[in-house]
Amino acid sequence: MFMRFFTELREAKVPVTLKEYLMLMEALDKVVIERSVDDFYYLSRSALVKDEKNLDKFDQVFSHVFKGLEKVEGAGTADIPAEWLRKISEKFLTEEEKAQIEAMGGFDKLMEALAERLKEQKERHEGGNKMIGTGGTSPFGANGYHPEGVRIGQDKGRHGKAVKVWDKREYKNLDDAVELGTRNIKVALRRLRKWVRDGAADELDLPGTIKGTAEKGYLDIQMRPERRNKISVLIFFDIGGSMDSHIKVCEELFSAARSEFKNMEFYYFHNCLYESVWKDNRRRHTEKLNTWDILHKYSSDYKVIFVGDATMSPYEITYPGGSVEHWNEEAGAIWMDRVAQIYEHMVWLNPTAERHWDYTPSIEVMKQLVNDRMFPLTIEGLDKAMRELAR
């Protein structure tokens, strides 16, 4: 059974090694956990999963391999505390439904009844209002209805009333191919770090204190500056037009970047970079900033990130006067080239799915201008972009 679990994890592209599998077997041999599905789930996840992005794949394989095991074990009162059930009920049940539960004798009676019926029941049960089965009104089972119950062996909820969902996937937003969230963006952005100790010495240097004390024979307290992320980031956000459909993911990226990079500057542009940018979209026509001033203000060690779908007429990039908003004296391609000449580390993040890029000529043009350093705005794409900037 465990070998099947191991092989299916490998087939699902979860990078599990034989050493990790043997470590899991050793832990089971030494009985480091109780004999329960939940304990084995957490133990195996800790031993076999090394990267957060694989947690969802692990959950799916675990559910598939061990499906049905929880029906035999672990459905008693000890696994679902009554106090936990009461708190859930206060949030989700109506007064009428609470009254129905109380009519049964309360949550304690509900869980005692489940344990008794597990002992009584010897075969599959369809319909009805007592045994554990499907399509009935018993508090226990699947594909039926009861105002408050324990769902067993059902792929998904139907009425949203189950207290315990055994096969719930907690990490379905951490896979490489799914949309980003603020938390996931922060995890990816952390690859772009350069730690230095700078500023006032206000942090205890424990190793230095121990070494100094041992050498001098008396307590030698040593302090050191706090460790900080020295990376400086300059972000340009495309705003308006086709980017309106990507506002949510751009807001999440902006929020995550602000929290991860203490030294970050941002500006807005539309479609392509031209001679001016702005900080406030409400005053974009009255309070523009000269792009040349921006490029001279920030040193060449800044990491530059462009965020935009690069979806426009190719003329907006390659010709003077191509902008749809104003007459630009110089082509956008010239301004992009200037940025590339000043800043060695530059990437473009595109919220449009990569499979659609070939159908938009302007995306190919922009890709060439950034030396093929355009990445999709997914977890995997953001991870690759941060690796590129960190080179």
Side-chain angles (χ1 to χ4, degrees):
M1 176 176 64
F2 294 125
M3 182 55 70
R4 178 192 166 202
F5 180 39
F6 175 73
T7 56
E8 291 207 15
L9 283 171
R10 297 290 294 270
E11 290 173 2
K13 307 300 181 185
V14 178
V16 184
T17 65
L18 183 60
K19 180 179 180 181
E20 292 159 349
Y21 174 74
L22 292 175
M23 180 175 65
L24 175 62
M25 294 301 100
E26 182 181 0
L28 292 175
D29 186 55
K30 293 183 177 179
V31 197
V32 300
I33 59 170
E34 298 293 332
R35 296 182 180 276
S36 74
V37 178
D38 285 348
D39 286 353
F40 176 70
Y41 166 78
Y42 289 113
L43 174 65
S44 58
R45 195 182 77 186
S46 300
L48 304 177
V49 181
K50 301 181 288 293
D51 196 316
E52 284 183 319
K53 68 184 181 182
N54 295 313
L55 286 173
D56 183 48
K57 296 175 186 175
F58 175 85
D59 282 357
Q60 293 182 66
V61 172
F62 189 94
S63 176
H64 171 66
V65 173
F66 299 105
K67 197 166 186 66
L69 192 59
E70 62 271 15
K71 298 177 188 176
V72 179
E73 174 282 323
T77 56
D79 290 315
I80 309 177
E83 183 61 29
W84 186 76
L85 294 177
R86 291 190 185 95
K87 291 180 179 178
I88 292 292
S89 75
E90 291 172 2
K91 185 174 182 181
F92 294 107
L93 298 185
T94 65
E95 293 301 322
E96 181 182 354
E97 289 167 341
K98 291 178 186 177
Q100 292 180 35
I101 295 299
E102 291 304 318
M104 286 190 63
F107 288 108
D108 294 335
K109 293 293 183 181
L110 177 70
M111 302 313 294
E112 288 175 11
L114 171 60
E116 288 299 318
R117 290 180 200 180
L118 278 172
K119 294 178 182 177
E120 295 175 18
Q121 188 165 332
K122 304 299 182 183
E123 59 186 6
R124 173 183 170 86
H125 187 74
E126 179 75 29
N129 59 9
K130 178 182 178 183
M131 289 299 182
I132 303 166
T134 59
T137 57
S138 165
F140 321 107
N143 300 319
Y145 177 80
H146 193 278
E148 178 67 7
V150 178
R151 192 170 91 208
I152 301 176
Q154 181 178 324
D155 288 337
K156 60 184 180 179
R158 296 170 65 246
H159 302 291
K161 299 294 184 183
V163 173
K164 175 80 173 178
V165 183
W166 294 99
D167 55 355
K168 183 178 179 182
R169 289 159 52 197
E170 297 284 357
Y171 299 95
K172 55 177 75 171
N173 67 332
L174 291 179
D175 202 348
D176 275 354
V178 300
E179 293 182 0
L180 290 167
T182 303
R183 178 184 178 276
N184 303 342
I185 295 174
K186 288 181 179 181
V187 172
L189 292 179
R190 285 171 191 163
R191 291 199 178 277
L192 188 60
R193 284 179 171 179
K194 182 179 179 182
W195 296 109
V196 296
R197 295 195 178 276
D198 190 21
D202 54 4
E203 178 182 280
L204 176 65
D205 182 0
L206 186 57
T209 299
I210 294 173
K211 183 179 179 180
T213 301
E215 291 175 346
K216 297 176 181 177
Y218 58 86
L219 182 60
D220 180 26
I221 296 178
Q222 297 185 19
M223 306 296 289
R224 63 187 178 186
E226 182 183 356
R227 196 173 69 149
R228 305 175 189 274
N229 186 7
K230 191 66 174 178
I231 292 294
S232 299
V233 178
L234 181 59
I235 304 183
F236 294 94
F237 286 96
D238 182 6
I239 198 77
S242 56
M243 283 297 294
D244 286 348
S245 58
H246 305 297
I247 287 176
K248 182 177 183 294
V249 70
C250 288
E251 287 179 338
E252 291 174 345
L253 175 63
F254 180 73
S255 174
R258 285 292 290 267
S259 65
E260 288 299 316
F261 305 121
K262 302 305 179 185
N263 190 17
M264 186 194 90
E265 298 293 338
F266 69 94
Y267 297 92
Y268 297 108
F269 67 99
H270 180 60
N271 283 353
C272 187
L273 186 68
Y274 298 115
E275 69 278 358
S276 60
V277 292
W278 55 92
K279 294 280 286 185
D280 189 339
N281 284 299
R282 294 169 297 181
R283 301 178 179 179
R284 58 185 293 185
H285 297 294
T286 58
E287 295 185 3
K288 290 187 176 181
L289 303 170
N290 189 289
T291 304
W292 261 128
D293 292 342
I294 303 300
L295 301 184
H296 286 108
K297 181 178 181 180
Y298 302 107
S299 59
S300 60
D301 62 342
Y302 269 73
K303 312 290 186 180
V304 177
I305 302 173
F306 284 91
V307 182
D309 58 9
T311 301
M312 67 198 92
S313 166
Y315 293 104
E316 295 184 58
I317 305 173
T318 57
Y319 281 87
S323 172
V324 295
E325 291 196 325
H326 71 292
W327 178 268
N328 51 298
E329 296 291 340
E330 296 178 296
I334 294 177
W335 285 103
M336 292 300 301
D337 182 64
R338 285 170 178 160
V339 175
Q341 293 298 323
I342 296 172
Y343 301 98
E344 179 184 358
H345 302 286
M346 178 180 74
V347 297
W348 186 293
L349 299 176
N350 195 329
T352 302
E354 190 172 6
R355 63 181 179 274
H356 300 309
W357 290 4
D358 292 340
Y359 303 104
T360 308
S362 60
I363 293 181
E364 183 60 33
V365 174
M366 192 62 73
K367 241 181 108 177
Q368 295 176 14
L369 289 173
V370 296
N371 298 318
D372 285 327
R373 289 175 291 183
M374 180 179 286
F375 303 92
L377 196 45
T378 61
I379 297 177
E380 183 180 20
L382 194 53
D383 184 74
K384 290 179 178 178
M386 295 305 104
R387 289 178 185 272
E388 175 65 34
L389 289 175
R391 288 175 60 183

